[in-house]
Each structure stands twice: as structure tokens, then as C-alpha cells.
Amino acid sequence: MHIHILGICGTFMGGLAALARAAGHRVTGCDAGVYPPMSDQLRALGIDLIEGFGADQLALEPDIFVVGNVVSRARLADGTPKFPLMEAILDAGARYTSGPQWLSEQVLAGRHVLAVAGTHGKTTTTSMLAWILESAGLAPGFLVGGVPLNFGVSARLGAAQRPGAPGAAPLFVIEADEYDTAFFDKRSKFVHYRPRTAVLNNLEFDHADIFDDLAAIERQFHHLVRTVPSSGCVVVNGLEESLARVLHAGCWSKVASFGSAVSDWSANGEPGAFDVLLHGKRVASVHWALTGVHNQLNALAAIAAAVHVGVAPAAAAEALQTFQNVRRRMEVRGVVRGITVYDDFAHHPTAIRTTLDGLRRSIGPKVRILAAFEPRSNTMKLGTMKTQLPWALESADLAFCHTAGLDWDAAAALAPLGVGPGRRAQTAPDIATLLAQIVQVAQPGDHIVCMSNGAFGGVHAQLLQALAA
């Protein structure tokens, strides 16, 4: 069929486009400010991209329009529609669906889906799990909200038959996002995926733009649990009270817990080198370059999920030793004058804290950490979690906050750290000021972590250049 994708340059919709192309469909798409790297990836696949959401695209007459959740019924200040193409689709009665719905019907049907959900670590854990299954020769398909360095692409269709297991459903690993599906379907994306193996990595309040409170997100997670068959498995973090509440509301599948001392799966040792315990007995060990307790927990979740589809724990742990992580997950962008600059996707206070804590455990107490961050996610821009920022930044020696686009006082939120030149925290209204603040205090041996879920104004390259100068 011919599908036309609205909002094609987003990570999820771009991955969906690549899967559709691999499945033999003709794919076209549009977006506002068609932008790399996704635009380059899609054009390389032979996918035609159109700038903007003009109503004239209705003339393409695709078999179906696939609508990303960037699209809405919003109006501009002059009263005209922000997305004229969507208005034209509705007026014409043309066939349309959401990205998750199309994926469920056209790609996931007939496959054993392994879905990884959670407030944090979804992309990393999904990538770990896909790499474990790949290393085991199971040729899984996958769709990840990032680029796993082991694969170099964010999505792959995978084998149509499970290698070495005639009659068994082929495997597909998917990052299962709790954000809503589309303007016409306010359920979480993951409700569409119907997994047989569901990982619940962690759960805390996020997405304040669409959820009123934690209970509302827990309800969506329970909707996911309701879709797992009795022959399936729910892999759940045993350290999370919120997830305990989710399962207490009803679970009809096998449960494999991880993380706590009394969980089915636990770890013994430091995050960089640890034994994997099943019911208290050592079954494998992991030695790798990743840091942080959060990655140790991600590893346990991935191993437990892989075991559910027949991978031995020792084989899973061995695969993790060659896992290269995901682009923008503590990715070293360069070292200048002995100063290391990292790019990290952390966009929530807990993610900031775990990232910095992991680095601190790795480099020791005497080496300085400089944290540069921008509150860019919808939740952070609303200021919902601003009071948690001092807690999130405890492991950093110095903190620098980019405040462009905020309508709350970042300096007041960071006041417990001390704000201003010569103090522990500084704020900057633009990238140039931020760069000047960092360059003025950076010293050889420092580790500078730049944290944002956006492009951050290209601060990483600019910072390396400024430090070199």
C-alpha cells in the first residue's frame, strides 16, 4: 500500500516509516522543518519528504494517512488551522489511523512482542534486549526511540521466522511509550502493542502536560498489563512501589521481578562488574563499560525478558559485554585539554540524578563534574519538578542551567545550591552566555555533562571548540 505519514521526522514515526518501507510499502511523509538526522535516513531509504502540512498533500491519494501525535486540531493566532492537511483529511472522509495502530496491525500482528515500558531507561533497555536476542541468533525486529550503536539504525523489521524454532512466532522488541497515541486517541501508545513479554522498568510522575498525577499514569500501565496473555510474562522492577500498585490492581500473567534483594533477579557487585543472581543463586556475570545502578537494573530487566523467550542467562550476560549503548546516552563527544564532554538525553530530575551519580561512582570523589542542562521536556518547561533540581544535581560540583523558553524562575529553584558567579549554580538566558560561564571555570580533568532531550543549540560542538580556543 501507499502510506503518507504526518510528522515523519520524529524518532518513532521515522522508525515506523523505515519498517513500512522494509515491508514493501510505498512511503511518503511530511513534517515541519524536515530535519536531519532522520530526514537523511529516510531519504536514503527512498522515502519522499514534503515540507509542512499543506492541504494540497491530499492529492497524493495514499491508501491511508498515518498521523503522528505532533498533529492536532490547533488554530493559529489568525484562526487558521495549524495542520491544514489534517483538516482536509477529515473534510474528505479520507482513511487515517495513528502510528501505533498501524504498527500493531501491519507489523506486530503474528509476532511475539517484547515491550519495554517505564519512565526511565526505555531506550537503553530496549536496545540491550534487542542486542541480546541478536547475539543469540534470533534476528529480532525492533523499534527504538534512539539509535543503538550496535545496530546503527533505530528500527528493523527482523526475520519473518524465528531462527532455529520452526512454528514459533518471530520476535519484535519495541520501546513502549506511555505518552498518548494521537489527538483522536488519548490512550498510551503501548496499549496498542499487545506484548507477550512486558518490561515495567520503573514508574514515576512525568508528562505533566497530559497526566494529572501519578495515579493517572499507573492506570495506563495497568491497561498495558491487561493486554499480556496468561502465557506471557510481566518483568517488573521490585524496587518500585508504584509498580507494586499497578500489579495489585490485577495481573493475569507470570511475573518475574528484578532489582530488590528478594526479587527473582538481583545483582551482586558494582554496576561495572556484577554477578547476576536468580533466586539468590549466581547464574551469570556482567563486565562492561556502562556506569550507574540504573544500567545495572536495566541489564537485569533485559536478561529476565530474554530468558522468557529461551535465551540462557549466561548467554544474555555475555552479549551485554559487547553492548555499545545508545547514541546520546552518556556519549563522549570529545576530549579537549583533558576535559571530557558528554551528550546525555537526561530530561527528568531522576534521570539527571542517576546519570550524574553513575559518573561519580565511575570517576571517584575527587574529579569535578560540571552539569549543563536545559529543562526542555513538556513536564520540565511547566516547572512541575523544578523543586527537585537541587536534589538531582547533588553529584555535580557545578551546574549551569539554560533558561530560554522557561516561564518560571530557575535561579529561585536552584537557590539551595547557591546561584551566581563563583557559586555552585549559574543560569544563562542563551547558549553564548552558557558557554562563557562554563569555559571560564573549566579545568583539565573536568567531566562536562550536557543534558537535554533536544539539540541543546549544538552546545556540545561549540563547547569543544571554545575549550580548544
Side-chain angles (χ1 to χ4, degrees):
M1 66 173 69
H2 172 200
I3 70 170
H4 187 64
I5 300 175
L6 284 68
I8 195 171
C9 285
T11 306
F12 173 80
M13 298 302 280
L16 184 150
L19 294 173
R21 189 75 183 83
H25 300 294
R26 180 188 169 205
V27 183
T28 55
C30 64
D31 213 325
V34 170
Y35 48 90
M38 188 57 74
S39 59
D40 296 337
Q41 290 181 40
L42 295 174
R43 287 196 173 106
L45 293 171
I47 295 171
D48 293 329
L49 304 180
I50 299 170
E51 173 65 36
F53 296 88
D56 57 338
Q57 295 174 49
L58 196 66
L60 292 169
E61 296 186 343
D63 295 289
I64 193 166
F65 291 94
V66 181
V67 182
N69 70 357
V70 68
V71 176
S72 70
R73 302 294 304 279
R75 294 293 190 268
L76 300 174
D78 63 1
T80 58
K82 185 176 181 181
F83 299 94
L85 175 56
M86 194 66 235
E87 300 300 322
I89 291 168
L90 294 170
D91 286 337
R95 190 173 170 220
Y96 68 92
T97 188
S98 69
Q101 182 77 30
W102 190 91
L103 188 72
S104 173
E105 295 171 354
Q106 303 295 329
V107 176
L108 303 183
R111 294 175 182 255
H112 181 127
V113 177
L114 302 96
V116 179
T119 308
H120 312 291
K122 288 187 294 293
T123 303
T124 302
T125 307
T126 306
S127 303
M128 286 181 189
L129 180 52
W131 181 241
I132 290 171
L133 301 182
E134 176 77 358
S135 300
L138 297 174
F142 58 82
L143 177 54
V144 186
V147 181
L149 295 173
N150 290 91
F151 295 102
V153 293
S154 62
R156 185 180 79 176
L157 203 54
Q161 302 288 330
R162 194 185 307 187
L171 303 177
F172 197 96
V173 186
I174 188 165
E175 179 173 333
D177 185 9
E178 71 272 24
Y179 207 80
D180 59 15
T181 297
F183 76 86
F184 50 86
D185 182 353
K186 306 315 284 184
R187 295 173 295 170
S188 291
K189 289 191 186 81
F190 57 40
V191 173
H192 293 276
Y193 300 154
R194 309 290 174 86
R196 290 190 169 273
T197 309
V199 176
L200 309 184
N201 219 8
N202 41 62
L203 175 55
E204 62 179 297
F205 186 61
D206 197 6
H207 307 308
D209 52 323
I210 61 170
F211 293 117
D212 292 332
D213 50 32
L214 180 58
I217 310 179
E218 290 177 7
R219 191 174 306 113
Q220 292 294 326
F221 270 68
H222 192 245
H223 290 168
L224 174 63
V225 171
R226 292 180 195 180
T227 67
V228 182
S230 57
S231 58
C233 181
V234 178
V235 178
V236 61
N237 187 335
L239 296 167
E240 298 270 324
E241 289 184 14
S242 53
L243 292 177
R245 288 193 295 271
V246 169
L247 295 191
H248 184 71
C251 183
W252 302 268
S253 316
K254 174 187 173 185
V255 175
S257 61
F258 69 92
S260 76
V262 295
S263 292
D264 300 315
W265 296 89
S266 58
N268 182 31
E270 288 298 308
F274 58 93
D275 290 334
V276 177
L277 310 180
L278 176 58
H279 302 139
K281 295 182 179 180
R282 179 183 173 277
V283 291
S285 53
V286 175
H287 300 267
W288 61 356
L290 271 66
T291 62
V293 174
H294 59 298
N295 278 320
Q296 190 177 55
L297 292 170
N298 292 341
L300 291 177
I303 291 169
V307 166
H308 184 236
V309 293
V311 179
E318 185 177 355
L320 289 178
Q321 298 185 169
T322 56
F323 177 65
Q324 297 175 36
N325 213 337
V326 183
R327 195 166 293 159
R328 300 205 63 199
R329 291 341 184 249
M330 285 303 284
E331 180 182 0
V332 175
R333 293 292 295 268
V335 181
V336 175
R337 292 172 42 220
I339 301 168
T340 307
V341 176
Y342 302 84
D343 181 9
D344 192 75
F345 196 75
H347 64 284
H348 181 286
T350 301
I352 293 171
R353 183 178 174 88
T354 53
T355 293
L356 297 178
D357 180 62
L359 179 60
R360 174 59 69 204
R361 291 169 69 113
S362 173
I363 64 177
K366 295 183 180 180
V367 180
R368 293 203 316 171
I369 296 174
L370 280 59
F373 67 99
E374 62 171 359
R376 185 185 173 278
S377 71
N378 288 331
T379 303
M380 292 298 286
K381 282 197 286 190
L382 287 170
T384 308
M385 298 180 177
K386 61 186 178 184
T387 58
Q388 296 182 33
L389 285 173
W391 166 81
L393 295 160
E394 275 184 349
S395 290
D397 296 277
L398 298 172
F400 305 86
C401 179
H402 182 226
T403 61
L406 300 184
D407 57 7
W408 48 272
D409 190 342
L414 295 167
L417 298 177
V419 180
R423 309 294 294 276
R424 192 171 167 194
Q426 295 188 59
T427 62
D430 51 60
I431 294 295
T433 304
L434 186 83
L435 288 169
Q437 290 172 345
I438 296 172
V439 170
Q440 186 174 19
V441 298
Q443 302 170 3
D446 285 350
H447 291 250
I448 305 175
V449 185
C450 302
M451 294 175 285
S452 171
N453 67 338
F456 207 163
V459 70
H460 321 87
Q462 294 184 61
L463 184 55
L464 288 166
Q465 188 175 17
L467 289 169

